[in-house]
Amino acid sequence: MNDAKVLLDYGSGGRASHRLIGELLLSHFRSPELARLNDAAVLDLRGPVAVSTDSFTVDPIFFPGGDIGSLAVHGTVNDVAMLGARPLYLTCALILEEGLPMADLERIVTSLGQAADAAGVAVVTGDTKVMPRGQADKIFINTTGIGQIMVETPPSGDRARPGDAILVSGSMGDHGLTILSQREGLAFDAPVESDSACLSHLILKLLEALPDVHVLRDPTRGGLATTLNEIAGQSRAGCLIEESSLPVKQAVKAGCSFLGLDPLYLANEGKFICILPEAQADAALSILRADPLGKDAARIGTVTAENPGKVVMRTPLGGHRMLSMLEGEQLPRIC
C-alpha cells in the first residue's frame, strides 16, 4: 500500500476498506473460509468445543519477545487449550486509530498471521474499524478462539483435589516486568523479555500422556497468586506453595526488588499452572522439561484440605504467608 498512515476511509466499508482487506489482511491470513469474504464463516465441528474471547490493548504495542499481534493469538489460543482443546479457528477484529503508521499495522498483521500459522489455527472471520485520531490508542485487537476438546473430562478450575500436586511450566513475571520496563523506559543490568508463546502443542502432548490432569490455567492478569486464589475458590480447597520452589528469573527478581513489585502478581503470557494427581507429578515434569517452553517447569506446592479457598506460601524459614488476590491494578494494560 502507498498510504503512510491509516485513514478513516479504511473503516468505511467502501473501496479503501476492500483495499485494506485484499492487499494486507488476506495476504497474511491465509484461510480459504476467510477468503470467501462472507458475512460469517462456516465451520465443521463435531463433539464438544471450547470457545474463548479476549481483547488486547497492550501498551507499548511492540516489546521484547513479541507484539500485540502475536500476543492476541497466543492469549486466545492458550485460553482454549486450558480446557484440553485443540485450537482450530480464530476470529480477529481490529480497532485502529486514524494516523497509525501503515508500516506498524503491516508488522502487527504479519506477526499475527505467523503466530496463527504456528499455532495451527485458521483466521476465519473478522472486522476492521477505524476511530478518529485521539479516540483510540493506536490499535486494539479482539480475538475469539474455537477448539475441539480432546479429553473425556476437560480440566477445570473446580477439579483441584486435596493431595494433588501443583506445577508451573516455567518462570513467573517475565511478561509483566517487560511491559512495565518498556513503557517507562527502564533498563536493567540483565535484559527481560516477554514469555508470550503458544502453549497448545505442549498442553496436548501432556494430555495425550496424562489425560487425568485436573486443572490447567494460564496465570495472566493478576499473576500466579491471583490465579491460584481463583482455583482455590472454585475447588473449595487450599493451596500450599513453597516459596523456595517458585521459578523466577534473577533479572525479574532484581527488577521487581528495584520497583517494589511482587513477581507472583505479574502477568505471564507463555506459562501455565498444572494441577494433577500426586502420582503423576514426576511424569508431567519430565514431559514439560523436555520441551523448550517447559524447560524451567517446577513443582511448587500441593492442594490441601486446610484453608479452603485460600493460598498459603511457606517461606524458606518455615513461616507462612497468606497470598491474597491482587487488589487494584498493579500494572495496567499488560495484554
Side-chain angles (χ1 to χ4, degrees):
M1 294 184 180
N2 296 322
D3 304 285
K5 307 284 185 182
V6 169
L7 306 176
L8 281 174
D9 284 355
Y10 289 151
S12 68
R15 290 183 182 276
S17 296
H18 283 261
R19 267 203 322 274
L20 181 73
I21 293 169
E23 297 177 13
L24 179 62
L25 302 182
L26 291 183
S27 66
H28 293 288
F29 303 160
R30 292 176 287 275
S31 161
E33 189 59 38
L34 182 65
R36 293 187 176 94
L37 296 179
N38 289 324
D39 286 345
V42 177
L43 307 180
D44 185 8
L45 294 169
R46 294 177 177 84
V49 299
V51 180
S52 180
T53 191
D54 205 346
S55 298
F56 298 85
T57 68
V58 66
D59 176 31
I61 57 176
F62 302 106
F63 47 84
D67 55 63
I68 193 172
S70 58
L71 180 65
V73 174
H74 296 157
T76 299
V77 164
N78 291 347
D79 284 346
V80 169
M82 296 303 147
L83 283 183
R86 183 188 305 280
L88 298 173
Y89 304 111
L90 201 66
T91 73
C92 178
L94 306 176
I95 299 176
L96 310 175
E97 182 185 18
E98 178 190 15
L100 175 71
M102 286 300 300
D104 286 354
L105 178 58
E106 181 157 17
R107 180 178 168 188
I108 290 166
V109 170
T110 300
S111 176
L112 197 156
Q114 291 172 344
D117 289 344
V121 296
V123 179
V124 292
T125 189
D127 183 46
T128 303
K129 294 291 190 295
V130 180
M131 300 296 292
R133 193 187 305 267
Q135 294 188 19
D137 187 0
K138 305 179 189 71
I139 178 172
F140 302 148
I141 302 177
N142 174 271
T143 48
T144 295
I146 302 172
Q148 194 82 46
I149 292 179
M150 305 301 291
V151 290
E152 184 174 345
T153 305
S156 176
D158 62 0
R159 292 188 60 212
R161 297 293 178 263
D164 282 355
I166 304 173
L167 317 180
V168 292
S169 65
S171 58
M172 296 288 105
D174 298 6
H175 179 75
L177 189 64
T178 298
I179 296 301
L180 177 61
S181 64
Q182 291 295 303
R183 183 181 302 153
E184 302 300 331
L186 302 175
F188 303 114
D189 290 339
V192 292
E193 182 174 294
S194 172
D195 60 345
S196 180
C198 169
L199 298 170
S200 58
H201 302 307
L202 176 56
I203 288 171
L204 290 172
K205 189 187 307 180
L206 177 67
L207 292 175
E208 184 177 352
L210 303 171
D212 192 29
V213 171
H214 290 168
V215 182
L216 290 172
R217 292 288 295 275
D218 55 341
T220 51
R221 284 176 296 179
L224 177 67
T226 297
T227 308
L228 286 175
N229 270 279
E230 293 172 353
I231 294 169
Q234 289 175 272
S235 296
R236 296 181 176 85
C239 294
L240 178 62
I241 304 303
E242 303 291 342
E243 185 176 11
S244 59
S245 299
L246 292 166
V248 181
K249 293 177 180 174
Q250 187 57 43
V252 174
K253 287 182 181 179
C256 286
S257 177
F258 175 74
L259 295 169
L261 299 173
D262 187 335
L264 301 187
Y265 291 93
L266 291 181
N268 311 273
E269 291 291 349
K271 306 292 178 3
F272 64 92
I273 300 166
C274 173
I275 299 178
L276 76 174
E278 168 70 34
Q280 299 178 10
D282 288 342
L285 284 173
S286 295
I287 293 168
L288 295 177
R289 289 170 178 167
D291 188 286
L293 291 178
K295 61 184 177 62
D296 296 322
R299 162 81 180 269
I300 64 167
T302 303
V303 179
T304 68
E306 294 78 32
N307 302 305
K310 307 292 185 183
V311 179
V312 177
M313 183 169 69
R314 183 155 49 202
T315 70
L317 296 178
H320 292 80
R321 177 163 74 96
M322 194 76 72
L323 294 179
S324 59
M325 279 195 175
L326 176 66
E327 292 284 351
E329 281 283 354
Q330 185 182 25
L331 192 60
R333 291 190 58 183
I334 43 77
C335 63

